Amino acid sequence: MVTKCVNCPLARKPLFKPMSRDELAYMQRFKVGELVVDPRTSLLMEGSNSPQLYTTLRGMGLRYKTLPSGRRHVIGFVFPGDFIGLQAGVMGEMEHSVEASTSMTLCVFDRAEFWNFLKLRTDRAFDVIWLSAVEEHFLGEALATVGQRTAVEKVAWALVRFYRRGKMLHMVEHGSMPLPYKQQDLADALGLSLVHTNKTLAKLRDRQLANWSDGILSVHDVDRLAALAQDDGSEVVTRPLL
Amino acid sequence: MVTKCVNCPLARKPLFKPMSRDELAYMQRFKVGELVVDPRTSLLMEGSNSPQLYTTLRGMGLRYKTLPSGRRHVIGFVFPGDFIGLQAGVMGEMEHSVEASTSMTLCVFDRAEFWNFLKLRTDRAFDVIWLSAVEEHFLGEALATVGQRTAVEKVAWALVRFYRRGKMLHMVEHGSMPLPYKQQDLADALGLSLVHTNKTLAKLRDRQLANWSDGILSVHDVDRLAALAQDDGSEVVTRPLL
DNA sequence: CGCTAAATTGAGCCGAATCAAAAGTCGTGG
DNA sequence: CCACGACTTTTGATTCGGCTCAATTTAGCG
């Protein structure tokens, strides 16, 4: 059973800019279907040229790049509401891969149709520009993190990101949220080795700052964790949903 | 004497998508003037809210973020033709600073006017989306570099970037181009210490791979340098000019 | 129960950081 | 014209954060 845009469960989350019933109904015209994938499935491959654009409806995944040497760098983590495939849509081909970490459900939009849509609704085109700018901002933060922060700061920074994002998506209950990634994924995102990431996580656990085990992240005091992470920027901005 | 868009010296460089005389003339309507700054001048500050958008006409600069600890990370280097200020334009305020490394001349566009412009010319709005996507791509590469490459690979990677970009801008003559940055700038971009960056540059010089001294970068064999850098992607894509 | 993948833990090593100091560069003023 | 100060580049010595190697434990799962 395919979810109708009007009933989109994401639109109600605080992370997103409110959408009118009309807007949601209008989106429906471009949704050509839903894609359901199992964990560990590749959604988009580096160098591929997918004719589709997706919005994550359920589940989580990650974006990564592979170097010629075989090493992998995780560029970012995909959460519900994230828009995927814009780069391929614009640049002709993907420059990074996207893989499902959990089982995922994605809203599928037709690429060609989508461009027409943006031409008609210039306000939505601005939303896309806005999203790009936010993503750029995030990547800048990540770059500074990987480049300048120490291991503890890096891990703390990442957990704070996860937690804040989770909160805006109503995924947090009693200070805990699901975080279905492997330690290796986090290590590859922060430029740390698996072993050191593991030991750093243990350190945060010992200090009662954050506990990530069995796919559940628990944070008692986000602000204390953020302070440790040298993280000043606090609030997550509400973003448009596509 | 202000340069007229029709005579824009950048439009002829191979880096940019060809623009018709009409298009150039049209751009003129949104250019409200030129800004000339001395080296070491801050163009935009983190947290500021500039009402202007710029395109770099002459000179070079860099973008950077400062962490609460005081450490600085250089997000990227500004070359002629680069568009500056979109983030502030879209998100309300800058999340990184931009500083001039050499004396710079910038074409100034009025922000409010610019939005109207995009509404009228949807093709130009796509250009902006396209630019964002390319920038995102670059940041992804940089992230993977800082996260996964060794010191030699990092420095080689950066020099290859500079060189390729320079070539597309006709800045290279006899294998050499101006590169008016400090070693500290490169160090802060790659997440390396100044000392180690210096020693790594010396190593590349010894191996006859690249020589960057006195603000001049000389590369004998880009491909060999790129191979060392674990860099597969080769050509620089032509981009729209704003 | 054996098999495979993920998380842990310990030991030793190395790439890059830090510390320290010298040497080259350049503008400025006496 | 030279001396002075401020900055950048270079070089050497030493230290350490995080990596690699290696082995063990824990957690599903057919």
Side-chain angles (χ1 to χ4, degrees), chain B residues 1-183:
Chain B
M1 178 56 194
V2 170
T3 305
K4 291 222 162 43
C5 289
V6 185
N7 303 319
C8 182
L10 291 174
R12 279 176 242 128
K13 309 293 183 188
L15 178 59
F16 305 104
K17 256 182 17 187
M19 283 177 84
S20 70
R21 234 186 123 67
D22 275 356
E23 284 178 303
L24 287 166
Y26 195 77
M27 279 309 289
Q28 186 71 53
R29 297 180 45 189
F30 303 97
K31 177 168 176 177
V32 301
E34 270 176 22
L35 176 65
V36 180
V37 298
D38 285 330
R40 315 243 111 253
T41 309
S42 283
L43 289 173
L44 295 167
M45 290 282 288
E46 217 165 326
S48 73
N49 182 351
S50 152
Q52 256 98 43
L53 298 166
Y54 307 103
T55 290
T56 310
L57 186 55
R58 275 184 288 267
M60 293 156 90
L62 46 81
R63 311 167 191 268
Y64 66 90
K65 264 187 89 58
T66 310
L67 299 196
S69 63
R71 307 192 65 170
R72 170 186 89 149
H73 190 91
V74 170
I75 305 293
F77 297 88
V78 178
F79 271 58
D82 281 3
F83 190 55
I84 299 174
L86 181 63
Q87 309 221 347
V90 170
M91 301 184 50
E93 69 173 48
M94 289 298 286
E95 67 305 316
H96 63 248
S97 307
V98 180
E99 183 180 295
S101 294
T102 66
S103 138
M104 293 179 82
T105 306
L106 305 136
C107 302
V108 184
F109 301 102
D110 182 68
R111 198 154 103 187
E113 205 48 50
F114 190 74
W115 295 141
N116 293 331
F117 163 56
L118 292 187
K119 239 171 244 168
L120 294 173
R121 305 278 309 239
T122 52
D123 52 333
R124 294 309 255 159
F126 283 116
D127 282 346
V128 173
I129 293 179
W130 199 91
L131 276 180
S132 302
V134 172
E135 187 61 19
E136 222 175 294
H137 174 213
F138 169 78
L139 287 171
E141 287 264 324
L143 199 46
T145 296
V146 176
Q148 310 297 337
R149 283 186 238 256
T150 65
V152 201
E153 289 168 358
K154 286 183 188 180
V155 173
W157 177 85
L159 296 185
V160 169
R161 296 271 136 184
F162 283 133
Y163 191 80
R164 292 216 180 111
R165 179 63 93 85
K167 201 147 204 177
M168 298 293 275
L169 285 167
H170 287 332
M171 294 167 68
V172 176
E173 273 182 64
H174 306 303
S176 301
M177 65 178 278
L179 193 64
Y181 298 105
K182 291 182 286 181
Q183 294 187 358

Side-chain angles (χ1 to χ4, degrees), chain A residues 205-227:
Chain A
R205 212 174 292 136
D206 289 346
R207 295 199 212 164
Q208 314 268 318
L209 282 166
N211 185 336
W212 177 31
S213 4
D214 307 309
I216 304 289
L217 169 67
S218 304
V219 176
H220 298 100
D221 184 346
V222 208
D223 296 327
R224 215 150 66 86
L225 191 60

Side-chain angles (χ1 to χ4, degrees), chain B residues 182-184 194-195 198-199 205:
Chain B
K182 291 182 286 181
Q183 294 187 358
Q184 183 72 65
L194 166 61
V195 174
N198 178 287
K199 287 172 179 169
R205 212 173 293 136

Side-chain angles (χ1 to χ4, degrees), chain A:
Chain A
M1 177 56 191
V2 170
T3 305
K4 290 221 163 43
C5 289
V6 185
N7 302 320
C8 181
L10 290 174
R12 281 176 242 127
K13 309 294 184 188
L15 179 60
F16 304 104
K17 256 181 19 186
M19 282 177 86
S20 70
R21 235 183 124 67
D22 276 355
E23 284 178 303
L24 285 166
Y26 195 78
M27 280 308 290
Q28 186 72 54
R29 298 179 45 189
F30 303 96
K31 177 168 175 177
V32 300
E34 271 176 22
L35 175 64
V36 180
V37 298
D38 285 331
R40 315 244 111 252
T41 308
S42 283
L43 289 173
L44 295 167
M45 290 283 286
E46 216 165 328
S48 73
N49 182 352
S50 153
Q52 256 98 43
L53 298 165
Y54 307 103
T55 290
T56 311
L57 186 55
R58 275 183 287 269
M60 293 155 89
L62 45 80
R63 309 167 192 267
Y64 66 91
K65 262 187 91 58
T66 310
L67 299 195
S69 65
R71 308 191 65 168
R72 170 185 90 148
H73 189 90
V74 171
I75 304 292
F77 297 88
V78 177
F79 272 58
D82 280 3
F83 190 54
I84 298 174
L86 182 62
Q87 309 222 346
V90 170
M91 301 185 50
E93 68 173 49
M94 289 299 284
E95 67 305 313
H96 64 248
S97 307
V98 180
E99 184 181 295
S101 294
T102 66
S103 137
M104 294 179 81
T105 306
L106 305 135
C107 303
V108 183
F109 302 101
D110 181 69
R111 197 154 106 187
E113 207 48 51
F114 190 74
W115 295 140
N116 294 330
F117 163 55
L118 292 186
K119 241 170 243 170
L120 294 173
R121 306 279 307 240
T122 53
D123 53 331
R124 294 308 257 160
F126 283 116
D127 283 346
V128 173
I129 293 178
W130 199 93
L131 276 179
S132 302
V134 172
E135 186 62 18
E136 221 175 296
H137 174 213
F138 170 78
L139 287 171
E141 287 264 324
L143 199 47
T145 296
V146 175
Q148 310 297 337
R149 283 187 237 256
T150 65
V152 201
E153 289 169 359
K154 287 182 188 181
V155 173
W157 177 84
L159 296 185
V160 169
R161 296 271 136 182
F162 284 134
Y163 191 80
R164 292 215 180 111
R165 178 64 92 85
K167 201 148 206 177
M168 297 293 275
L169 285 167
H170 287 332
M171 293 168 68
V172 176
E173 275 182 62
H174 307 301
S176 301
M177 65 178 277
L179 192 63
Y181 298 104
K182 292 181 287 182
Q183 295 187 356
Q184 183 71 64
D185 296 331
L186 184 58
D188 288 347
L190 298 175
L192 294 173
S193 73
L194 167 61
V195 174
H196 200 60
T197 302
N198 177 290
K199 287 172 179 168
T200 305
L201 283 166
K203 213 169 285 178
L204 293 179
R205 212 174 292 136
D206 289 346
R207 295 199 212 164
Q208 314 268 318
L209 282 166
N211 185 336
W212 177 31
S213 4
D214 307 309
I216 304 289
L217 169 67
S218 304
V219 176
H220 298 100
D221 184 346
V222 208
D223 296 327
R224 215 150 66 86
L225 191 60
L228 178 66
Q230 297 270 348
D231 193 334
D232 44 358
S234 46
E235 353 56 38
V236 183
V237 227
T238 65
R239 59 172 64 195
L241 180 64
L242 286 175

